[in-house]
Amino acid sequence: VILEEGDVVVISQKIISKAEKRVRKATTITPSKKAERIAQQTGKDSKIVELILNETEEPVKIGIGVLLVKDKRGFTCINAGIDRSNVEGEGSFALLPENPDASAEKCRRELKRLTEKNVAVIICDTYSRPFRRGQVNFAIGISGINPFKDYRGKSDLFGKILKVKNVAIVDEIAAAAELLMGQGKEAKPVIVFKGLGEVVDFRGGTATKELYIPHEDDLFKNSL
Amino acid sequence: VILEEGDVVVISQKIISKAEKRVRKATTITPSKKAERIAQQTGKDSKIVELILNETEEPVKIGIGVLLVKDKRGFTCINAGIDRSNVEGEGSFALLPENPDASAEKCRRELKRLTEKNVAVIICDTYSRPFRRGQVNFAIGISGINPFKDYRGKSDLFGKILKVKNVAIVDEIAAAAELLMGQGKEAKPVIVFKGLGEVVDFRGGTATKELYIPHEDDLFKNSL
């Protein structure tokens, strides 16, 4: 693939985590008392619980075999995004990058240095969602791209002003990338999108934080 | 576009709803007592509340300006998917298709009759999500496609058996389609995907119901 100005480069979290040495061997972990207690409640391994707690803000919600957490980056997800798939070695687990936006920024700058092209970078990972079965890919780190395509204040086909539409375009690009990446043995951790210039805003900042809704503003609060 | 065997045709809910005459003028609606009461609690128009209640299973959760409902199809969403964008006429609102899977099936059969090609059909619509800001496109009706790409029991790059990965591939295809559809004046309500044969399973059934998690199985229950 030849990179061109305005390409959007989507990179799997797993290879970023490996490159940043965010892989832990469970056997080297000493679980805390709290991790031991939560392990008993969930049926999870206490060493994995310890890994999750290290990445997590309080409080932690406990389900069967899962911990639902808001991680220290502000991202609400199951098991703090820690898993073992496509990580080499028995008992090895990949943690999310320490700061996925910074990782995306670093990739973007390095791609610029190597190719002299301005591209956007999205780091992605698959997650379970409320209400719906199955996982989908989400953006967990971004650089050089506005996370939203905001239609509010613009008009529809019939001249009505749109009041609500604000599409999380980076999540949709991440989902589209997953169709090619796969989750098994595909070994395609990087997908390049071309021709998205009319759809995305490259002037955007570098903050997935904008994607995270404070609890008090969440339309779904008290709904589960 | 020439349709070929194995194409995936993604169609916007809005044009299906219009074709099926699922458009209502708010002025023709007589709100019930209950709708009046909920309108007061939410600050919504009582006639729109009445439209939403007609599409909804109990109970209804009430937020500021929104009703979160499980609709009569089993789909949990805000305002029962009812909105006015790209619907002609002041005060006109589009309801979701009565049975979106049946609508998708009808499109698939008609495309087969017209082109003699077997394609899959996904009807899509954009929705807000818990925890994350912005809307994304979801599959709300499907035909001729398995909603999931299930990796469970298969192995990763290093021979580990995957235990959890079960990707909601129809939601990812819907999200990918939205990049081209847009939500404003784009007027591109149908997107055709080619070359997804290695990714999707065309032997699948016709039920988005499989995407809806019963509350007791929802990993996120009690989390909001």
Side-chain angles (χ1 to χ4, degrees):
Chain A
V1 177
I2 307 288
L3 279 191
E4 295 169 292
E5 199 73 11
D7 286 352
V8 179
V9 179
V10 184
I11 307 175
S12 155
Q13 161 268 327
K14 206 56 67 67
I15 62 164
I16 300 288
S17 291
K18 289 179 188 179
E20 295 182 353
K21 307 206 182 307
R22 298 276 293 159
V23 175
R24 299 289 177 271
K25 262 223 166 303
T27 47
T28 67
I29 307 299
T30 307
S32 62
K33 284 254 157 63
K34 184 174 180 186
E36 299 274 17
R37 180 168 46 78
I38 292 177
Q40 284 203 327
Q41 290 173 278
T42 54
K44 289 184 79 70
D45 184 301
S46 61
K47 296 176 179 203
I48 298 164
V49 172
E50 180 67 25
L51 284 175
I52 295 169
L53 292 180
N54 289 342
E55 297 290 310
T56 296
E57 275 186 11
E58 298 298 321
V60 177
K61 308 267 180 177
I62 295 172
I64 300 159
V66 297
L67 300 183
L68 179 71
V69 305
K70 181 183 267 196
D71 85 356
K72 57 190 182 185
R73 300 154 202 91
F75 179 36
T76 302
C77 63
I78 283 172
N79 295 342
I82 295 173
D83 75 2
R84 51 173 215 125
S85 70
N86 284 316
V87 182
E88 197 162 15
E90 206 49 52
S92 289
F93 291 80
L95 317 181
L96 295 192
E98 191 70 47
N99 180 342
D101 287 331
S103 304
E105 173 79 0
K106 201 171 160 186
C107 290
R108 192 177 64 78
R109 287 181 188 277
E110 186 65 11
L111 288 170
K112 168 85 182 194
R113 193 183 66 80
L114 292 168
T115 67
E116 295 179 11
K117 305 298 180 192
N118 292 295
V119 301
V121 171
I122 297 173
I123 299 173
C124 66
D125 194 15
T126 50
Y127 290 93
S128 297
R129 313 157 293 169
F131 305 125
R132 291 176 84 83
R133 202 182 300 278
Q135 298 102 38
V136 300
N137 223 7
F138 287 110
I140 67 159
I142 60 176
S143 181
I145 186 168
N146 186 327
F148 303 107
K149 181 166 169 122
D150 194 348
Y151 292 87
R152 290 172 294 181
K154 297 183 181 149
S155 63
D156 72 3
L157 277 174
F158 304 106
K160 289 183 194 171
I161 301 301
L162 298 167
K163 292 181 180 169
V164 177
K165 299 277 182 198
N166 180 36
V167 174
I169 199 111
V170 292
D171 281 340
E172 293 191 329
I173 295 171
E178 205 287 319
L179 296 173
L180 299 172
M181 276 185 178
Q183 298 298 315
K185 297 195 280 195
E186 293 86 348
K188 289 180 192 158
V190 182
I191 305 291
V192 177
F193 286 76
K194 293 181 174 292
L196 284 180
E198 282 183 37
V199 175
V200 306
D201 173 8
F202 293 105
R203 292 165 306 173
T206 60
T208 43
K209 195 182 285 182
E210 294 173 55
L211 285 162
Y212 306 144
I213 298 187
H215 181 70
E216 59 274 21
D217 296 342
D218 197 325
L219 296 174
F220 291 84
K221 72 182 171 188
N222 305 322
S223 69
L224 273 155
Chain B
V1 177
I2 308 288
L3 278 192
E4 295 170 292
E5 200 75 9
D7 285 352
V8 178
V9 179
V10 184
I11 308 174
S12 154
Q13 162 267 326
K14 205 57 64 70
I15 62 164
I16 299 288
S17 290
K18 290 180 188 179
E20 294 181 354
K21 306 203 184 308
R22 298 276 292 160
V23 176
R24 300 288 177 272
K25 263 222 165 303
T27 46
T28 67
I29 307 298
T30 308
S32 61
K33 284 252 158 62
K34 184 174 181 185
E36 299 273 16
R37 181 167 46 77
I38 293 176
Q40 282 203 327
Q41 291 173 277
T42 54
K44 288 184 78 71
D45 185 300
S46 61
K47 295 175 180 204
I48 297 164
V49 172
E50 180 66 25
L51 284 174
I52 294 169
L53 293 180
N54 289 342
E55 297 289 310
T56 297
E57 273 185 15
E58 297 299 323
V60 177
K61 309 267 181 179
I62 294 172
I64 299 159
V66 298
L67 300 182
L68 178 71
V69 306
K70 181 183 267 197
D71 84 356
K72 58 191 183 184
R73 300 153 202 91
F75 178 37
T76 302
C77 63
I78 284 174
N79 295 342
I82 295 173
D83 75 3
R84 53 173 213 126
S85 69
N86 284 315
V87 182
E88 197 163 14
E90 208 47 52
S92 289
F93 291 80
L95 317 181
L96 295 191
E98 191 70 48
N99 179 342
D101 287 330
S103 303
E105 172 81 0
K106 201 171 161 187
C107 291
R108 193 177 63 79
R109 285 180 189 278
E110 187 64 10
L111 288 169
K112 167 85 183 194
R113 193 183 66 78
L114 292 167
T115 67
E116 294 180 12
K117 305 296 180 193
N118 292 294
V119 300
V121 171
I122 297 173
I123 298 172
C124 66
D125 194 14
T126 49
Y127 289 94
S128 297
R129 314 154 295 167
F131 305 124
R132 290 175 86 82
R133 203 182 299 277
Q135 299 102 39
V136 300
N137 223 6
F138 287 111
I140 67 159
I142 59 175
S143 181
I145 187 168
N146 185 329
F148 303 107
K149 180 164 171 122
D150 195 349
Y151 291 87
R152 290 172 295 181
K154 296 182 182 151
S155 63
D156 72 5
L157 278 174
F158 303 106
K160 289 182 192 171
I161 300 302
L162 298 166
K163 291 181 179 168
V164 177
K165 298 277 182 198
N166 181 36
V167 174
I169 198 109
V170 291
D171 280 339
E172 293 191 329
I173 296 171
E178 204 286 319
L179 297 174
L180 299 172
M181 276 185 179
Q183 298 297 314
K185 297 195 280 194
E186 293 85 349
K188 290 181 192 158
V190 182
I191 305 291
V192 178
F193 286 76
K194 294 182 173 290
L196 285 180
E198 281 182 37
V199 175
V200 305
D201 174 9
F202 292 106
R203 293 165 305 173
T206 60
T208 42
K209 195 180 288 183
E210 293 172 56
L211 285 163
Y212 306 144
I213 297 188
H215 181 70
E216 61 272 21
D217 297 340
D218 197 325
L219 296 175
F220 291 83
K221 71 181 172 190
N222 305 322
S223 69
L224 273 156

